[in-house]
Amino acid sequence: MKKVRITQVKGTIHTQPKHRANIAALGLHGIGTSNEIELNPAIQGMINAVRFLIKVEEI
């Protein structure tokens, strides 16, 4: 499968609880943290929900 690097670029203050939960599920805990994840439909859905808080790069 394809891998992507996800980096959090904005904070989660004043966001909806489901957005905070998605950020945590993606393995991010603060601005500037990154995680490499294999892309599947579930992960793609989480990325789409919080696309305004993160930066995604293909590896």
Side-chain angles (χ1 to χ4, degrees):
M1 289 213 141
K2 189 166 39 170
K3 290 190 90 172
V4 293
R5 178 179 295 126
I6 303 169
T7 305
Q8 185 175 348
V9 294
K10 290 189 178 181
T12 56
I13 296 175
H14 300 299
T15 59
Q16 297 178 9
K18 64 181 180 179
H19 293 158
R20 282 182 241 139
N22 278 335
I23 290 290
L26 289 170
L28 305 173
H29 357 75
I31 298 172
T33 58
S34 296
N35 196 6
E36 294 181 6
I37 301 176
E38 286 192 19
L39 197 59
N40 62 42
I43 297 295
Q44 185 63 51
M46 286 191 263
I47 289 171
N48 290 341
V50 295
R51 65 187 175 277
F52 59 96
L53 298 173
I54 61 175
K55 179 177 73 170
V56 180
E57 306 168 40
E58 291 186 28
I59 297 177

